[in-house]
Amino acid sequence: MRTITACLPLTHHYTPELHNLSSLISPSFATMADAAIEELYRVTYADRLITPDENADLISTLQELQTIEDGSTSPPALTPDKVVWLRAAAFRIGCEYLVEEDGDDVDDPREENVKLLRTINAVVHALETTCLLPSLEEEGGEDFSEESVEELFRSLYETEDEDGDGDEDGPVISRAEANALQESLTDEATRPPLSTLIWLRSTAFRLGSQYLNEENDKAKNVALLRSINVIVHIVESTCMKPKPLALELPPSHTPDADTDFTTAVQTLWNLDSNRLTPHKDYNMDVQSSKHPYKKGNAADDHLFTYVNQQIFQRPTFHAFRSLLDNYSASTGDEEEVSQKELRENRAFLNAVMETAPMKYAHQYCLAQGVEYDGEPVPDDESGFKKVLNSIWFKLYSRSGGGRRRKMDSSGFEHVFVGEVKNGQVSGFHNWIMFWLEEKKGNIDYRGYIKPRSRDSNAETNDDDPVLTLQFSWNGVEKFVGTSFIGVSPEFELALYTMAFLAGEDENIVTLDTSNGEAFDLNVKCFKYDGGSKVGSCFVEALAHYEE
């Protein structure tokens, strides 16, 4: 059994959505694991007390969500963007158990609400100890004082007129106030010491309980819980860091010298915990089919009708998007790489190497004993990232030109961004780039193309994760192109890196997409510049069938 380490990142920025706990429900987490966590919260909150057994059950459940069962075709349920969801859900479900003056048969409604806050605090503590680590230094800033922190917290709980109607709707923390708290916790002079970490969160709850509405008005107490959630979020994002998530890979997910390419591709799919869920994270309208290499439009509307833009809060999606405007589409136009763009390249590679698919790809290449540039692939991640940078981001000339050739292309640009050469779109195999360009009005989707094999018995529909399509980009035609839909950037980079380093020019695989359907795919890889760089990588859909 091999251990793969990944990280659970936190967003460090305040957003207004933090006040709306329901908006933080991650659509891709709306699974059995989601329901299990919510039910566990409800059982815990039912009597507004958390017992040692309930605390142990919560921690055990969280740990189970970080594992992969042998033979599983599903990724771990605790994915990189779930820590914020888990905490927000703890508050959201907690709101259901607030006691109103005339709504529950209890002697002291306010005391019951105080007990509830203590229980939510205990749940959040269990989440933090399971998923996060301290990032504070032993010594705090010279101007730090607990009294100043308490004063700041109290100021944040002061009643505000949320909607400007003259009524007191409960505390609402503004962006400016949230930024002030974040600055106080990160400023060199006022940063808190390590010894105060638990105190910071418990103080947010303790002081918050003092602002529970005297009449037990539920709406106002819900507003209070939202504000406590914001404060706790800022404390976590400034004073804590993600705990490395050690994925214990069972035998079915551990590569060795005998692991074939099909098995490796299936394992990558199973490990892609950042993959989006159709009809929840995004919606498509594939419309009508058409024949390749024939002009004409079989689709009047956009391919994508909705994509949840919160996906760009995920580190790999965010880092990927920042790369897409770094290139000139026309071959023959020399690419100029700025220091900022170099930093963005490094940030992307750092982000993807914190994910299970890329770590698996690295281990697979090592198990296969492959070489790059005459040397074995480095077994350390730092060395492997250098290889990734070379094969994906180093420039070369695609337009030719002899001695005057221009460095106008790279593997990443061709595969993920797309180029225009000889009056046709070349490359452009990424769904995120397609959606962003379609949203801008630069893409005209023309319809989908069915796999050629007669063995195909499945209908192309709006939740297919592999789609062959025809489109024009800024008026330039792409007659046939196949893309994965909804997968994470790390999945595609891992797949095509394995094909480049450890595969053949053409790699026939069968992929079980975990929805009762499967695809026969040809993972094609063409090398460039003496075989040292990616020329092109993409999949060709050979057959699509129901299992």
Side-chain angles (χ1 to χ4, degrees):
M1 181 173 290
R2 184 182 295 276
T3 298
I4 286 183
T5 302
C7 273
L8 297 173
L10 291 172
T11 175
H12 289 264
H13 303 289
Y14 168 86
T15 62
E17 288 77 11
L18 285 170
H19 271 294
N20 183 358
L21 298 176
S22 62
S23 73
L24 291 173
I25 302 173
S26 173
S28 60
F29 200 44
T31 62
M32 291 180 64
D34 182 348
I37 284 289
E38 292 188 347
E39 181 60 25
L40 185 57
Y41 286 164
R42 289 188 172 97
V43 169
T44 302
Y45 294 149
D47 58 0
R48 303 177 188 87
L49 292 172
I50 184 168
T51 66
D53 287 345
E54 289 170 336
N55 187 69
D57 285 345
L58 175 60
I59 293 175
S60 176
T61 300
L62 290 171
Q63 292 171 341
E64 289 174 3
L65 293 178
Q66 301 177 32
T67 63
I68 306 171
E69 294 183 5
D70 195 22
S72 171
T73 59
S74 299
L78 186 53
T79 60
D81 61 336
K82 295 303 186 297
V83 177
V84 173
W85 181 89
L86 288 166
R87 190 225 322 119
F91 279 91
R92 175 172 51 82
I93 300 299
C95 290
E96 299 174 8
Y97 292 87
L98 285 166
V99 179
E100 297 183 83
E101 190 68 45
D102 55 359
D104 294 89
D105 185 18
V106 297
D107 294 332
D108 189 344
R110 193 175 192 282
E111 179 57 31
E112 290 298 312
N113 289 334
V114 171
K115 287 167 56 179
L116 176 62
L117 285 186
R118 292 179 185 144
T119 304
I120 298 174
N121 177 48
V123 169
V124 173
H125 177 73
L127 295 175
E128 290 177 353
T129 54
T130 304
C131 302
L132 302 173
L133 291 172
S135 62
L136 295 174
E137 299 178 1
E138 291 284 348
E139 298 293 328
E142 59 181 16
D143 294 336
F144 171 82
S145 72
E146 294 183 356
E147 293 78 10
S148 297
V149 172
E150 291 191 0
E151 181 181 352
L152 180 54
F153 283 2
R154 289 183 188 277
S155 70
L156 297 176
Y157 291 136
E158 292 299 325
T159 301
E160 297 286 347
D161 181 13
E162 180 179 0
D163 51 20
D165 60 3
D167 296 328
E168 293 182 348
D169 300 301
V172 175
I173 298 174
S174 69
R175 183 184 296 274
E177 290 171 326
N179 290 341
L181 174 58
Q182 181 170 315
E183 182 177 345
S184 175
L185 295 175
T186 55
D187 187 88
E188 187 72 20
T190 57
R191 70 179 189 277
L194 177 61
S195 60
T196 64
L197 181 57
I198 295 176
W199 175 88
L200 286 166
R201 189 221 330 115
S202 62
T203 298
F205 278 92
R206 176 174 56 82
L207 296 181
S209 68
Q210 298 174 14
Y211 288 84
L212 285 163
N213 183 258
E214 293 293 340
E215 285 75 35
N216 301 301
D217 184 296
K218 187 169 184 178
K220 294 180 179 180
N221 284 338
V222 168
L224 174 66
L225 261 63
R226 290 171 176 166
S227 292
I228 298 175
N229 177 55
V230 172
I231 292 176
V232 173
H233 173 80
I234 294 170
V235 170
E236 287 180 354
S237 62
T238 56
C239 302
M240 308 189 78
K241 61 184 179 181
K243 178 180 288 188
L245 175 61
L247 293 177
E248 294 288 344
L249 294 184
S252 61
H253 292 69
T254 303
D256 57 34
D258 295 325
T259 301
D260 59 42
F261 197 77
T262 291
T263 301
V265 172
Q266 186 65 58
T267 302
L268 283 184
W269 181 268
N270 298 346
L271 288 172
D272 188 17
S273 55
N274 258 340
R275 185 171 63 249
L276 306 189
T277 302
H279 308 308
K280 293 175 182 176
D281 293 323
Y282 68 93
N283 291 325
M284 287 196 306
D285 181 8
V286 295
Q287 298 165 74
S288 300
S289 65
K290 64 174 305 179
H291 294 288
Y293 304 109
K294 286 189 176 181
K295 293 187 177 181
N297 201 339
D300 294 331
D301 299 318
H302 284 184
L303 172 61
F304 288 98
T305 60
Y306 164 76
V307 175
N308 180 7
Q309 298 201 43
Q310 288 188 5
I311 64 172
F312 293 112
Q313 294 179 9
R314 306 182 187 188
T316 56
F317 282 80
H318 177 78
F320 178 80
R321 185 178 187 174
S322 70
L323 303 178
L324 301 182
D325 62 355
N326 290 350
Y327 300 96
S328 169
S330 297
T331 57
D333 291 349
E334 182 122 24
E335 299 288 355
E336 296 182 2
V337 184
S338 68
Q339 289 300 312
K340 175 178 177 291
E341 291 169 348
L342 290 174
R343 289 193 297 271
E344 290 173 344
N345 293 347
R346 290 193 294 269
F348 174 68
L349 292 179
N350 288 338
V352 296
M353 281 307 300
E354 292 295 335
T355 67
M358 281 304 299
K359 289 177 181 291
Y360 180 88
H362 185 199
Q363 295 300 325
Y364 178 77
C365 291
L366 292 175
Q368 298 300 306
V370 301
E371 295 186 348
Y372 175 72
D373 201 21
E375 299 289 338
V377 168
D379 58 4
D380 63 291
E381 288 191 359
S382 177
F384 189 60
K385 282 189 282 190
K386 291 180 181 178
V387 172
L388 294 174
N389 184 69
S390 180
I391 65 178
W392 285 106
F393 290 109
K394 291 294 185 182
L395 297 177
Y396 53 80
S397 176
R398 192 177 294 271
S399 58
R403 293 182 179 180
R404 297 183 179 180
R405 64 179 186 167
K406 295 180 179 179
M407 309 301 278
D408 57 2
S409 184
S410 70
F412 183 89
E413 177 187 7
H414 181 85
V415 173
F416 293 99
V417 183
E419 299 176 296
V420 175
K421 182 178 181 180
N422 298 328
Q424 291 189 0
V425 174
S426 179
F428 203 133
H429 299 290
N430 179 257
W431 75 270
I432 299 174
M433 180 66 178
F434 185 100
W435 166 62
L436 290 171
E437 287 296 286
E438 186 178 54
K439 191 170 65 165
K440 295 176 184 175
N442 297 335
I443 291 282
D444 180 14
Y445 170 60
R446 303 287 179 80
Y448 68 88
I449 298 166
K450 295 181 179 180
R452 292 173 295 178
S453 173
R454 295 179 180 178
D455 295 332
S456 298
N457 63 5
E459 292 293 325
T460 299
N461 53 48
D462 297 336
D463 61 4
D464 283 354
V466 180
L467 191 65
T468 302
L469 45 85
Q470 186 180 106
F471 63 94
S472 69
W473 182 30
N474 292 317
V476 184
E477 300 290 336
K478 176 79 174 180
F479 286 104
V480 180
T482 303
S483 297
F484 286 101
I485 306 295
V487 298
S488 69
E490 59 264 28
F491 169 81
E492 289 190 288
L493 193 77
L495 171 63
Y496 297 143
T497 296
M498 290 196 318
F500 179 86
L501 291 174
E504 306 295 334
D505 291 348
E506 299 192 8
N507 306 272
I508 309 300
V509 303
T510 297
L511 179 65
D512 175 3
T513 55
S514 310
N515 61 349
E517 298 182 359
F519 288 82
D520 287 341
L521 303 174
N522 185 0
V523 183
K524 294 189 173 184
C525 183
F526 300 99
K527 299 181 179 181
Y528 214 86
D529 204 20
S532 65
K533 299 178 181 67
V534 171
S536 184
C537 281
F538 57 94
V539 290
E540 180 181 28
L542 304 178
H544 175 202
Y545 47 89
E546 296 179 354
E547 294 188 312

